[in-house]
C-alpha cells in the first residue's frame, strides 16, 4: 500500500518540485503559458472528458451534490474559524473553501483511480471552479458581476461538453483526437506552473499559515466522510470525494487575494504551507480511499 501511494504521488510532486527548482533558478515568466492553459488547454481537457458517450451527467448528480456540500461546508467552517481567530473571513474562507482540485486533483484522480476517474474528477473540478469564479470573486469584491463567470472558457467548455453528450452528437474522431492532445498539455503544465508559482509565495504569518494548512484537509476529509453517510455514492466516488476533501488550498486563492488586495501575504502563507502539508495529508486520504 505504501509503495502504491508513493508511486501515485511521486509524479505529481516531482513535476511540482521541478517547477519550483526552475522557478528559483531562472525566474521564468509563465503568465502567457498559464493564460493559454486556462483559456485553451484546460477547456480542451474538460470538453474531451465530458463530450464522451460513456459520460452521462445524470449519473453524477449525487457526486456533484456531495461536492457542493463539501465546498459549502468548508466555507462555513472557515467563516467560524476566522471569527474564532479574529481573522478577516475574506482572508481565511476562500483558501479553506477552494482547494487545488485542478493542478493536483485532476492528475491525482487519474493516477490513483485510472482514466475512468477523469470525467467525475472534471465534474467536481467544475463545481469548485464555478463557485470560485462567482461566489469566491464576489466574496472579495461585492461590486463584481457574478454573471461574468459564464465568460470563463472552462465553464463554456463544460456546458458544450455536457450538451454534446446529452444530445448524442458524435464529434469527428480526428477532431476529438486533436482536442485530447491539447488537453494532455494541461496537466503537466499545471503541475510545473504550480511549482513556479510557489517560489513567488512568501510566509507572511506562520501561525495562520499552519492553522490554514491543517484546517483545509482536516475539515475537508471530515465533511467528505459525513457526505458519504448522507448521500448515496459508489465506492469509487467515495474515494474521489475523500481525496478531493484532502487537497490543499488552490494557488488561485493567492492570485485573487493579490488582485483584490485582501491580505495577500497571509493567504500566500496558507497556500504555501498547505501545499507542503499535502505531502502528509494526501497519503492519509489515499490510504483510506484505496
Amino acid at each position: 500500500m505504501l509503495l502504491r501511494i508513493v508511486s501515485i504521488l511521486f509524479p505529481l510532486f516531482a513535476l511540482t518540485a521541478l517547477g519550483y527548482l526552475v522557478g528559483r533558478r531562472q525566474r521564468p515568466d509563465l503568465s502567457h503559458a498559464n493564460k493559454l492553459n486556462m483559456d485553451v488547454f484546460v477547456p480542451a481537457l474538460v470538453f474531451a472528458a465530458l463530450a464522451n458517450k460513456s459520460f452521462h451527467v445524470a449519473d453524477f448528480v449525487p457526486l456533484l451534490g456531495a461536492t457542493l456540500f463539501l465546498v459549502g461546508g468548508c466555507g462555513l467552517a472557515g467563516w467560524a474559524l476566522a471569527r474564532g481567530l479574529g481573522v478577516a473571513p475574506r482572508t481565511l474562507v476562500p483558501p479553506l473553501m477552494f482547494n487545488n482540485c485542478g493542478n493536483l486533483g485532476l492528475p491525482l484522480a487519474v493516477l490513483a483511480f485510472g482514466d475512468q476517474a477523469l470525467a467525475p474528477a472534471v465534474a467536481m473540478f467544475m463545481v469548485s471552479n464555478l463557485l470560485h469564479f462567482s461566489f469566491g470573486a464576489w466574496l472579495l469584491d461585492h461590486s463584481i458581476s457574478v454573471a461574468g463567470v459564464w465568460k470563463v472558457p472552462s465553464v463554456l467548455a463544460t456546458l458544450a461538453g455536457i450538451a454534446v453528450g446529452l444530445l448524442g452528437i458524435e464529434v469527428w474522431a480526428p477532431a476529438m483526437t486533436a482536442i485530447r492532445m491539447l488537453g494532455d498539455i494541461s496537466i503537466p503544465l499545471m503541475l510545473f506552473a504550480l511549482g513556479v508559482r510557489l517560489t513567488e509565495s512568501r510566509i507572511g504569518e506562520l501561525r495562520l499559515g499552519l492553522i490554514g494548512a491543517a484546517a483545509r484537509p482536516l475539515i475537508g476529509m471530515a465533511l467528505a466522510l459525513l457526505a458519504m453517510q448522507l448521500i448515496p455514492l459508489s465506492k469509487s466516488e467515495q474515494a474521489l470525494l475523500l481525496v478531493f476533501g484532502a487537497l490543499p488550498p488552490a494557488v488561485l486563492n493567492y492570485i485573487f487575494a493579490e488582485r483584490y488586495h485582501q491580505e495577500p501575504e497571509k493567504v500566500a502563507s496558507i497556500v504555501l504551507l498547505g501545499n507542503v502539508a499535502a505531502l502528509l495529508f494526501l497519503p492519509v486520504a489515499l490510504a483510506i480511499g484505496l
Side-chain angles (χ1 to χ4, degrees), residues 92 96 203-216 249 265-275 277:
L92 188 58
L96 265 63
I203 299 177
E205 186 170 326
L206 183 60
R207 174 175 172 269
L208 182 61
L210 290 172
I211 291 173
R216 166 54 251 168
E265 297 82 8
K266 293 182 179 179
V267 176
S269 299
I270 299 171
V271 170
L272 178 59
L273 293 174
N275 279 271

mmCIF file with all atom_site columns, all heavy atoms in Angstrom, residues 92 96 203-216 249 265-275 277:
data_model
loop_
_atom_site.group_PDB
_atom_site.id
_atom_site.type_symbol
_atom_site.label_atom_id
_atom_site.label_alt_id
_atom_site.label_comp_id
_atom_site.label_asym_id
_atom_site.label_entity_id
_atom_site.label_seq_id
_atom_site.pdbx_PDB_ins_code
_atom_site.Cartn_x
_atom_site.Cartn_y
_atom_site.Cartn_z
_atom_site.occupancy
_atom_site.B_iso_or_equiv
_atom_site.pdbx_formal_charge
_atom_site.auth_seq_id
_atom_site.auth_comp_id
_atom_site.auth_asym_id
_atom_site.auth_atom_id
_atom_site.pdbx_PDB_model_num
ATOM 1   N N   . LEU A 1 92  ? -9.531  34.105 5.221  1.00 0.00 ? 92  LEU A N   1
ATOM 2   C CA  . LEU A 1 92  ? -9.427  32.682 5.550  1.00 0.00 ? 92  LEU A CA  1
ATOM 3   C C   . LEU A 1 92  ? -10.422 31.801 4.803  1.00 0.00 ? 92  LEU A C   1
ATOM 4   O O   . LEU A 1 92  ? -10.111 30.654 4.467  1.00 0.00 ? 92  LEU A O   1
ATOM 5   C CB  . LEU A 1 92  ? -9.602  32.488 7.058  1.00 0.00 ? 92  LEU A CB  1
ATOM 6   C CG  . LEU A 1 92  ? -9.325  31.082 7.604  1.00 0.00 ? 92  LEU A CG  1
ATOM 7   C CD1 . LEU A 1 92  ? -7.907  30.633 7.283  1.00 0.00 ? 92  LEU A CD1 1
ATOM 8   C CD2 . LEU A 1 92  ? -9.562  31.031 9.111  1.00 0.00 ? 92  LEU A CD2 1
ATOM 9   N N   . LEU A 1 96  ? -9.837  27.918 2.534  1.00 0.00 ? 96  LEU A N   1
ATOM 10  C CA  . LEU A 1 96  ? -10.428 26.706 3.093  1.00 0.00 ? 96  LEU A CA  1
ATOM 11  C C   . LEU A 1 96  ? -11.539 26.159 2.197  1.00 0.00 ? 96  LEU A C   1
ATOM 12  O O   . LEU A 1 96  ? -11.792 24.953 2.163  1.00 0.00 ? 96  LEU A O   1
ATOM 13  C CB  . LEU A 1 96  ? -10.980 26.971 4.492  1.00 0.00 ? 96  LEU A CB  1
ATOM 14  C CG  . LEU A 1 96  ? -10.033 26.629 5.657  1.00 0.00 ? 96  LEU A CG  1
ATOM 15  C CD1 . LEU A 1 96  ? -8.774  27.494 5.608  1.00 0.00 ? 96  LEU A CD1 1
ATOM 16  C CD2 . LEU A 1 96  ? -10.730 26.794 6.994  1.00 0.00 ? 96  LEU A CD2 1
ATOM 17  N N   . ILE A 1 203 ? 5.952   33.397 3.290  1.00 0.00 ? 203 ILE A N   1
ATOM 18  C CA  . ILE A 1 203 ? 5.276   33.121 4.558  1.00 0.00 ? 203 ILE A CA  1
ATOM 19  C C   . ILE A 1 203 ? 5.167   34.429 5.326  1.00 0.00 ? 203 ILE A C   1
ATOM 20  O O   . ILE A 1 203 ? 6.125   34.888 5.938  1.00 0.00 ? 203 ILE A O   1
ATOM 21  C CB  . ILE A 1 203 ? 6.024   32.055 5.377  1.00 0.00 ? 203 ILE A CB  1
ATOM 22  C CG1 . ILE A 1 203 ? 6.087   30.747 4.586  1.00 0.00 ? 203 ILE A CG1 1
ATOM 23  C CG2 . ILE A 1 203 ? 5.331   31.833 6.719  1.00 0.00 ? 203 ILE A CG2 1
ATOM 24  C CD1 . ILE A 1 203 ? 6.861   29.652 5.271  1.00 0.00 ? 203 ILE A CD1 1
ATOM 25  N N   . GLY A 1 204 ? 3.989   35.044 5.252  1.00 0.00 ? 204 GLY A N   1
ATOM 26  C CA  . GLY A 1 204 ? 3.790   36.331 5.920  1.00 0.00 ? 204 GLY A CA  1
ATOM 27  C C   . GLY A 1 204 ? 3.376   36.179 7.367  1.00 0.00 ? 204 GLY A C   1
ATOM 28  O O   . GLY A 1 204 ? 3.606   37.069 8.177  1.00 0.00 ? 204 GLY A O   1
ATOM 29  N N   . GLU A 1 205 ? 2.718   35.080 7.688  1.00 0.00 ? 205 GLU A N   1
ATOM 30  C CA  . GLU A 1 205 ? 2.292   34.838 9.075  1.00 0.00 ? 205 GLU A CA  1
ATOM 31  C C   . GLU A 1 205 ? 2.288   33.330 9.300  1.00 0.00 ? 205 GLU A C   1
ATOM 32  O O   . GLU A 1 205 ? 1.406   32.612 8.807  1.00 0.00 ? 205 GLU A O   1
ATOM 33  C CB  . GLU A 1 205 ? 0.909   35.434 9.331  1.00 0.00 ? 205 GLU A CB  1
ATOM 34  C CG  . GLU A 1 205 ? 0.502   35.316 10.794 1.00 0.00 ? 205 GLU A CG  1
ATOM 35  C CD  . GLU A 1 205 ? -0.747  36.106 11.120 1.00 0.00 ? 205 GLU A CD  1
ATOM 36  O OE1 . GLU A 1 205 ? -0.937  37.174 10.524 1.00 0.00 ? 205 GLU A OE1 1
ATOM 37  O OE2 . GLU A 1 205 ? -1.528  35.630 11.956 1.00 0.00 ? 205 GLU A OE2 1
ATOM 38  N N   . LEU A 1 206 ? 3.266   32.846 10.043 1.00 0.00 ? 206 LEU A N   1
ATOM 39  C CA  . LEU A 1 206 ? 3.470   31.412 10.217 1.00 0.00 ? 206 LEU A CA  1
ATOM 40  C C   . LEU A 1 206 ? 2.293   30.760 10.935 1.00 0.00 ? 206 LEU A C   1
ATOM 41  O O   . LEU A 1 206 ? 1.811   29.703 10.517 1.00 0.00 ? 206 LEU A O   1
ATOM 42  C CB  . LEU A 1 206 ? 4.764   31.172 10.995 1.00 0.00 ? 206 LEU A CB  1
ATOM 43  C CG  . LEU A 1 206 ? 5.153   29.698 11.204 1.00 0.00 ? 206 LEU A CG  1
ATOM 44  C CD1 . LEU A 1 206 ? 5.342   29.001 9.877  1.00 0.00 ? 206 LEU A CD1 1
ATOM 45  C CD2 . LEU A 1 206 ? 6.427   29.607 12.040 1.00 0.00 ? 206 LEU A CD2 1
ATOM 46  N N   . ARG A 1 207 ? 1.798   31.376 12.010 1.00 0.00 ? 207 ARG A N   1
ATOM 47  C CA  . ARG A 1 207 ? 0.724   30.770 12.807 1.00 0.00 ? 207 ARG A CA  1
ATOM 48  C C   . ARG A 1 207 ? -0.529  30.557 11.964 1.00 0.00 ? 207 ARG A C   1
ATOM 49  O O   . ARG A 1 207 ? -1.087  29.451 11.923 1.00 0.00 ? 207 ARG A O   1
ATOM 50  C CB  . ARG A 1 207 ? 0.405   31.652 14.015 1.00 0.00 ? 207 ARG A CB  1
ATOM 51  C CG  . ARG A 1 207 ? -0.806  31.179 14.834 1.00 0.00 ? 207 ARG A CG  1
ATOM 52  C CD  . ARG A 1 207 ? -0.989  32.042 16.080 1.00 0.00 ? 207 ARG A CD  1
ATOM 53  N NE  . ARG A 1 207 ? -2.232  31.746 16.769 1.00 0.00 ? 207 ARG A NE  1
ATOM 54  C CZ  . ARG A 1 207 ? -3.387  32.369 16.532 1.00 0.00 ? 207 ARG A CZ  1
ATOM 55  N NH1 . ARG A 1 207 ? -3.437  33.328 15.606 1.00 0.00 ? 207 ARG A NH1 1
ATOM 56  N NH2 . ARG A 1 207 ? -4.476  32.046 17.200 1.00 0.00 ? 207 ARG A NH2 1
ATOM 57  N N   . LEU A 1 208 ? -0.990  31.593 11.278 1.00 0.00 ? 208 LEU A N   1
ATOM 58  C CA  . LEU A 1 208 ? -2.188  31.466 10.456 1.00 0.00 ? 208 LEU A CA  1
ATOM 59  C C   . LEU A 1 208 ? -1.950  30.500 9.298  1.00 0.00 ? 208 LEU A C   1
ATOM 60  O O   . LEU A 1 208 ? -2.842  29.732 8.926  1.00 0.00 ? 208 LEU A O   1
ATOM 61  C CB  . LEU A 1 208 ? -2.606  32.837 9.920  1.00 0.00 ? 208 LEU A CB  1
ATOM 62  C CG  . LEU A 1 208 ? -3.881  32.858 9.070  1.00 0.00 ? 208 LEU A CG  1
ATOM 63  C CD1 . LEU A 1 208 ? -5.077  32.378 9.878  1.00 0.00 ? 208 LEU A CD1 1
ATOM 64  C CD2 . LEU A 1 208 ? -4.137  34.266 8.524  1.00 0.00 ? 208 LEU A CD2 1
ATOM 65  N N   . GLY A 1 209 ? -0.737  30.523 8.743  1.00 0.00 ? 209 GLY A N   1
ATOM 66  C CA  . GLY A 1 209 ? -0.414  29.613 7.654  1.00 0.00 ? 209 GLY A CA  1
ATOM 67  C C   . GLY A 1 209 ? -0.515  28.166 8.085  1.00 0.00 ? 209 GLY A C   1
ATOM 68  O O   . GLY A 1 209 ? -1.061  27.321 7.362  1.00 0.00 ? 209 GLY A O   1
ATOM 69  N N   . LEU A 1 210 ? 0.004   27.847 9.265  1.00 0.00 ? 210 LEU A N   1
ATOM 70  C CA  . LEU A 1 210 ? -0.047  26.478 9.770  1.00 0.00 ? 210 LEU A CA  1
ATOM 71  C C   . LEU A 1 210 ? -1.480  26.058 10.091 1.00 0.00 ? 210 LEU A C   1
ATOM 72  O O   . LEU A 1 210 ? -1.881  24.920 9.805  1.00 0.00 ? 210 LEU A O   1
ATOM 73  C CB  . LEU A 1 210 ? 0.826   26.346 11.023 1.00 0.00 ? 210 LEU A CB  1
ATOM 74  C CG  . LEU A 1 210 ? 2.337   26.428 10.792 1.00 0.00 ? 210 LEU A CG  1
ATOM 75  C CD1 . LEU A 1 210 ? 3.081   26.488 12.130 1.00 0.00 ? 210 LEU A CD1 1
ATOM 76  C CD2 . LEU A 1 210 ? 2.821   25.238 9.967  1.00 0.00 ? 210 LEU A CD2 1
ATOM 77  N N   . ILE A 1 211 ? -2.250  26.978 10.683 1.00 0.00 ? 211 ILE A N   1
ATOM 78  C CA  . ILE A 1 211 ? -3.641  26.667 11.014 1.00 0.00 ? 211 ILE A CA  1
ATOM 79  C C   . ILE A 1 211 ? -4.434  26.384 9.739  1.00 0.00 ? 211 ILE A C   1
ATOM 80  O O   . ILE A 1 211 ? -5.162  25.396 9.637  1.00 0.00 ? 211 ILE A O   1
ATOM 81  C CB  . ILE A 1 211 ? -4.290  27.822 11.807 1.00 0.00 ? 211 ILE A CB  1
ATOM 82  C CG1 . ILE A 1 211 ? -3.669  27.920 13.204 1.00 0.00 ? 211 ILE A CG1 1
ATOM 83  C CG2 . ILE A 1 211 ? -5.801  27.622 11.914 1.00 0.00 ? 211 ILE A CG2 1
ATOM 84  C CD1 . ILE A 1 211 ? -4.126  29.121 13.999 1.00 0.00 ? 211 ILE A CD1 1
ATOM 85  N N   . GLY A 1 212 ? -4.282  27.258 8.749  1.00 0.00 ? 212 GLY A N   1
ATOM 86  C CA  . GLY A 1 212 ? -4.998  27.064 7.490  1.00 0.00 ? 212 GLY A CA  1
ATOM 87  C C   . GLY A 1 212 ? -4.558  25.814 6.757  1.00 0.00 ? 212 GLY A C   1
ATOM 88  O O   . GLY A 1 212 ? -5.390  25.095 6.180  1.00 0.00 ? 212 GLY A O   1
ATOM 89  N N   . ALA A 1 213 ? -3.253  25.534 6.788  1.00 0.00 ? 213 ALA A N   1
ATOM 90  C CA  . ALA A 1 213 ? -2.714  24.363 6.099  1.00 0.00 ? 213 ALA A CA  1
ATOM 91  C C   . ALA A 1 213 ? -3.276  23.065 6.679  1.00 0.00 ? 213 ALA A C   1
ATOM 92  O O   . ALA A 1 213 ? -3.513  22.096 5.950  1.00 0.00 ? 213 ALA A O   1
ATOM 93  C CB  . ALA A 1 213 ? -1.192  24.361 6.186  1.00 0.00 ? 213 ALA A CB  1
ATOM 94  N N   . ALA A 1 214 ? -3.484  23.029 7.995  1.00 0.00 ? 214 ALA A N   1
ATOM 95  C CA  . ALA A 1 214 ? -4.035  21.836 8.634  1.00 0.00 ? 214 ALA A CA  1
ATOM 96  C C   . ALA A 1 214 ? -5.557  21.795 8.558  1.00 0.00 ? 214 ALA A C   1
ATOM 97  O O   . ALA A 1 214 ? -6.154  20.736 8.349  1.00 0.00 ? 214 ALA A O   1
ATOM 98  C CB  . ALA A 1 214 ? -3.586  21.782 10.097 1.00 0.00 ? 214 ALA A CB  1
ATOM 99  N N   . ALA A 1 215 ? -6.192  22.968 8.715  1.00 0.00 ? 215 ALA A N   1
ATOM 100 C CA  . ALA A 1 215 ? -7.654  23.020 8.740  1.00 0.00 ? 215 ALA A CA  1
ATOM 101 C C   . ALA A 1 215 ? -8.259  22.631 7.400  1.00 0.00 ? 215 ALA A C   1
ATOM 102 O O   . ALA A 1 215 ? -9.283  21.935 7.348  1.00 0.00 ? 215 ALA A O   1
ATOM 103 C CB  . ALA A 1 215 ? -8.121  24.419 9.140  1.00 0.00 ? 215 ALA A CB  1
ATOM 104 N N   . ARG A 1 216 ? -7.628  23.047 6.295  1.00 0.00 ? 216 ARG A N   1
ATOM 105 C CA  . ARG A 1 216 ? -8.193  22.781 4.962  1.00 0.00 ? 216 ARG A CA  1
ATOM 106 C C   . ARG A 1 216 ? -8.413  21.278 4.723  1.00 0.00 ? 216 ARG A C   1
ATOM 107 O O   . ARG A 1 216 ? -9.549  20.861 4.437  1.00 0.00 ? 216 ARG A O   1
ATOM 108 C CB  . ARG A 1 216 ? -7.266  23.431 3.933  1.00 0.00 ? 216 ARG A CB  1
ATOM 109 C CG  . ARG A 1 216 ? -7.342  23.115 2.487  1.00 0.00 ? 216 ARG A CG  1
ATOM 110 C CD  . ARG A 1 216 ? -8.669  23.272 1.842  1.00 0.00 ? 216 ARG A CD  1
ATOM 111 N NE  . ARG A 1 216 ? -9.176  21.939 1.554  1.00 0.00 ? 216 ARG A NE  1
ATOM 112 C CZ  . ARG A 1 216 ? -10.400 21.674 1.193  1.00 0.00 ? 216 ARG A CZ  1
ATOM 113 N NH1 . ARG A 1 216 ? -11.277 22.639 1.092  1.00 0.00 ? 216 ARG A NH1 1
ATOM 114 N NH2 . ARG A 1 216 ? -10.769 20.442 0.949  1.00 0.00 ? 216 ARG A NH2 1
ATOM 115 N N   . PRO A 1 249 ? -5.064  24.125 -0.360 1.00 0.00 ? 249 PRO A N   1
ATOM 116 C CA  . PRO A 1 249 ? -5.684  25.328 -0.936 1.00 0.00 ? 249 PRO A CA  1
ATOM 117 C C   . PRO A 1 249 ? -5.188  25.594 -2.354 1.00 0.00 ? 249 PRO A C   1
ATOM 118 O O   . PRO A 1 249 ? -4.027  25.353 -2.673 1.00 0.00 ? 249 PRO A O   1
ATOM 119 C CB  . PRO A 1 249 ? -5.247  26.451 0.013  1.00 0.00 ? 249 PRO A CB  1
ATOM 120 C CG  . PRO A 1 249 ? -4.841  25.772 1.276  1.00 0.00 ? 249 PRO A CG  1
ATOM 121 C CD  . PRO A 1 249 ? -4.312  24.426 0.872  1.00 0.00 ? 249 PRO A CD  1
ATOM 122 N N   . GLU A 1 265 ? -0.337  38.472 1.706  1.00 0.00 ? 265 GLU A N   1
ATOM 123 C CA  . GLU A 1 265 ? 0.768   37.812 2.405  1.00 0.00 ? 265 GLU A CA  1
ATOM 124 C C   . GLU A 1 265 ? 0.255   36.672 3.280  1.00 0.00 ? 265 GLU A C   1
ATOM 125 O O   . GLU A 1 265 ? 0.857   35.593 3.338  1.00 0.00 ? 265 GLU A O   1
ATOM 126 C CB  . GLU A 1 265 ? 1.540   38.817 3.273  1.00 0.00 ? 265 GLU A CB  1
ATOM 127 C CG  . GLU A 1 265 ? 2.216   39.935 2.487  1.00 0.00 ? 265 GLU A CG  1
ATOM 128 C CD  . GLU A 1 265 ? 1.246   41.064 2.150  1.00 0.00 ? 265 GLU A CD  1
ATOM 129 O OE1 . GLU A 1 265 ? 0.107   41.024 2.656  1.00 0.00 ? 265 GLU A OE1 1
ATOM 130 O OE2 . GLU A 1 265 ? 1.636   41.961 1.384  1.00 0.00 ? 265 GLU A OE2 1
ATOM 131 N N   . LYS A 1 266 ? -0.881  36.906 3.962  1.00 0.00 ? 266 LYS A N   1
ATOM 132 C CA  . LYS A 1 266 ? -1.447  35.865 4.817  1.00 0.00 ? 266 LYS A CA  1
ATOM 133 C C   . LYS A 1 266 ? -1.982  34.710 3.973  1.00 0.00 ? 266 LYS A C   1
ATOM 134 O O   . LYS A 1 266 ? -1.801  33.531 4.319  1.00 0.00 ? 266 LYS A O   1
ATOM 135 C CB  . LYS A 1 266 ? -2.554  36.453 5.696  1.00 0.00 ? 266 LYS A CB  1
ATOM 136 C CG  . LYS A 1 266 ? -2.067  37.453 6.740  1.00 0.00 ? 266 LYS A CG  1
ATOM 137 C CD  . LYS A 1 266 ? -3.214  37.952 7.607  1.00 0.00 ? 266 LYS A CD  1
ATOM 138 C CE  . LYS A 1 266 ? -2.702  38.937 8.653  1.00 0.00 ? 266 LYS A CE  1
ATOM 139 N NZ  . LYS A 1 266 ? -3.806  39.457 9.504  1.00 0.00 ? 266 LYS A NZ  1
ATOM 140 N N   . VAL A 1 267 ? -2.652  35.045 2.894  1.00 0.00 ? 267 VAL A N   1
ATOM 141 C CA  . VAL A 1 267 ? -3.189  33.997 2.023  1.00 0.00 ? 267 VAL A CA  1
ATOM 142 C C   . VAL A 1 267 ? -2.048  33.192 1.401  1.00 0.00 ? 267 VAL A C   1
ATOM 143 O O   . VAL A 1 267 ? -2.126  31.960 1.292  1.00 0.00 ? 267 VAL A O   1
ATOM 144 C CB  . VAL A 1 267 ? -4.075  34.614 0.924  1.00 0.00 ? 267 VAL A CB  1
ATOM 145 C CG1 . VAL A 1 267 ? -4.554  33.539 -0.057 1.00 0.00 ? 267 VAL A CG1 1
ATOM 146 C CG2 . VAL A 1 267 ? -5.276  35.321 1.547  1.00 0.00 ? 267 VAL A CG2 1
ATOM 147 N N   . ALA A 1 268 ? -0.966  33.867 1.034  1.00 0.00 ? 268 ALA A N   1
ATOM 148 C CA  . ALA A 1 268 ? 0.199   33.172 0.464  1.00 0.00 ? 268 ALA A CA  1
ATOM 149 C C   . ALA A 1 268 ? 0.767   32.174 1.468  1.00 0.00 ? 268 ALA A C   1
ATOM 150 O O   . ALA A 1 268 ? 1.200   31.075 1.091  1.00 0.00 ? 268 ALA A O   1
ATOM 151 C CB  . ALA A 1 268 ? 1.266   34.183 0.056  1.00 0.00 ? 268 ALA A CB  1
ATOM 152 N N   . SER A 1 269 ? 0.786   32.538 2.747  1.00 0.00 ? 269 SER A N   1
ATOM 153 C CA  . SER A 1 269 ? 1.287   31.626 3.782  1.00 0.00 ? 269 SER A CA  1
ATOM 154 C C   . SER A 1 269 ? 0.436   30.370 3.867  1.00 0.00 ? 269 SER A C   1
ATOM 155 O O   . SER A 1 269 ? 0.950   29.250 3.966  1.00 0.00 ? 269 SER A O   1
ATOM 156 C CB  . SER A 1 269 ? 1.297   32.341 5.144  1.00 0.00 ? 269 SER A CB  1
ATOM 157 O OG  . SER A 1 269 ? 2.131   33.466 5.122  1.00 0.00 ? 269 SER A OG  1
ATOM 158 N N   . ILE A 1 270 ? -0.889  30.550 3.818  1.00 0.00 ? 270 ILE A N   1
ATOM 159 C CA  . ILE A 1 270 ? -1.798  29.410 3.894  1.00 0.00 ? 270 ILE A CA  1
ATOM 160 C C   . ILE A 1 270 ? -1.625  28.503 2.680  1.00 0.00 ? 270 ILE A C   1
ATOM 161 O O   . ILE A 1 270 ? -1.565  27.276 2.799  1.00 0.00 ? 270 ILE A O   1
ATOM 162 C CB  . ILE A 1 270 ? -3.263  29.894 3.997  1.00 0.00 ? 270 ILE A CB  1
ATOM 163 C CG1 . ILE A 1 270 ? -3.466  30.720 5.267  1.00 0.00 ? 270 ILE A CG1 1
ATOM 164 C CG2 . ILE A 1 270 ? -4.224  28.714 3.977  1.00 0.00 ? 270 ILE A CG2 1
ATOM 165 C CD1 . ILE A 1 270 ? -4.825  31.411 5.345  1.00 0.00 ? 270 ILE A CD1 1
ATOM 166 N N   . VAL A 1 271 ? -1.514  29.119 1.501  1.00 0.00 ? 271 VAL A N   1
ATOM 167 C CA  . VAL A 1 271 ? -1.374  28.349 0.266  1.00 0.00 ? 271 VAL A CA  1
ATOM 168 C C   . VAL A 1 271 ? -0.041  27.606 0.232  1.00 0.00 ? 271 VAL A C   1
ATOM 169 O O   . VAL A 1 271 ? 0.009   26.401 -0.069 1.00 0.00 ? 271 VAL A O   1
ATOM 170 C CB  . VAL A 1 271 ? -1.501  29.274 -0.961 1.00 0.00 ? 271 VAL A CB  1
ATOM 171 C CG1 . VAL A 1 271 ? -1.111  28.534 -2.240 1.00 0.00 ? 271 VAL A CG1 1
ATOM 172 C CG2 . VAL A 1 271 ? -2.917  29.812 -1.073 1.00 0.00 ? 271 VAL A CG2 1
ATOM 173 N N   . LEU A 1 272 ? 1.044   28.297 0.559  1.00 0.00 ? 272 LEU A N   1
ATOM 174 C CA  . LEU A 1 272 ? 2.363   27.684 0.506  1.00 0.00 ? 272 LEU A CA  1
ATOM 175 C C   . LEU A 1 272 ? 2.487   26.534 1.495  1.00 0.00 ? 272 LEU A C   1
ATOM 176 O O   . LEU A 1 272 ? 2.866   25.413 1.134  1.00 0.00 ? 272 LEU A O   1
ATOM 177 C CB  . LEU A 1 272 ? 3.440   28.736 0.785  1.00 0.00 ? 272 LEU A CB  1
ATOM 178 C CG  . LEU A 1 272 ? 4.892   28.244 0.820  1.00 0.00 ? 272 LEU A CG  1
ATOM 179 C CD1 . LEU A 1 272 ? 5.274   27.601 -0.503 1.00 0.00 ? 272 LEU A CD1 1
ATOM 180 C CD2 . LEU A 1 272 ? 5.847   29.389 1.140  1.00 0.00 ? 272 LEU A CD2 1
ATOM 181 N N   . LEU A 1 273 ? 2.145   26.788 2.755  1.00 0.00 ? 273 LEU A N   1
ATOM 182 C CA  . LEU A 1 273 ? 2.246   25.739 3.775  1.00 0.00 ? 273 LEU A CA  1
ATOM 183 C C   . LEU A 1 273 ? 1.224   24.632 3.536  1.00 0.00 ? 273 LEU A C   1
ATOM 184 O O   . LEU A 1 273 ? 1.488   23.462 3.833  1.00 0.00 ? 273 LEU A O   1
ATOM 185 C CB  . LEU A 1 273 ? 2.067   26.344 5.163  1.00 0.00 ? 273 LEU A CB  1
ATOM 186 C CG  . LEU A 1 273 ? 3.192   27.286 5.620  1.00 0.00 ? 273 LEU A CG  1
ATOM 187 C CD1 . LEU A 1 273 ? 2.848   27.951 6.943  1.00 0.00 ? 273 LEU A CD1 1
ATOM 188 C CD2 . LEU A 1 273 ? 4.510   26.528 5.736  1.00 0.00 ? 273 LEU A CD2 1
ATOM 189 N N   . GLY A 1 274 ? 0.068   24.995 2.984  1.00 0.00 ? 274 GLY A N   1
ATOM 190 C CA  . GLY A 1 274 ? -0.947  23.987 2.686  1.00 0.00 ? 274 GLY A CA  1
ATOM 191 C C   . GLY A 1 274 ? -0.488  22.998 1.640  1.00 0.00 ? 274 GLY A C   1
ATOM 192 O O   . GLY A 1 274 ? -0.731  21.801 1.752  1.00 0.00 ? 274 GLY A O   1
ATOM 193 N N   . ASN A 1 275 ? 0.192   23.488 0.606  1.00 0.00 ? 275 ASN A N   1
ATOM 194 C CA  . ASN A 1 275 ? 0.676   22.584 -0.440 1.00 0.00 ? 275 ASN A CA  1
ATOM 195 C C   . ASN A 1 275 ? 1.841   21.733 0.056  1.00 0.00 ? 275 ASN A C   1
ATOM 196 O O   . ASN A 1 275 ? 2.020   20.608 -0.398 1.00 0.00 ? 275 ASN A O   1
ATOM 197 C CB  . ASN A 1 275 ? 1.065   23.385 -1.678 1.00 0.00 ? 275 ASN A CB  1
ATOM 198 C CG  . ASN A 1 275 ? -0.135  23.743 -2.540 1.00 0.00 ? 275 ASN A CG  1
ATOM 199 O OD1 . ASN A 1 275 ? -0.533  23.001 -3.416 1.00 0.00 ? 275 ASN A OD1 1
ATOM 200 N ND2 . ASN A 1 275 ? -0.730  24.900 -2.264 1.00 0.00 ? 275 ASN A ND2 1
ATOM 201 N N   . ALA A 1 277 ? 2.013   20.765 3.230  1.00 0.00 ? 277 ALA A N   1
ATOM 202 C CA  . ALA A 1 277 ? 1.335   19.815 4.123  1.00 0.00 ? 277 ALA A CA  1
ATOM 203 C C   . ALA A 1 277 ? 0.627   18.704 3.354  1.00 0.00 ? 277 ALA A C   1
ATOM 204 O O   . ALA A 1 277 ? 0.313   17.652 3.922  1.00 0.00 ? 277 ALA A O   1
ATOM 205 C CB  . ALA A 1 277 ? 0.328   20.559 5.006  1.00 0.00 ? 277 ALA A CB  1
#
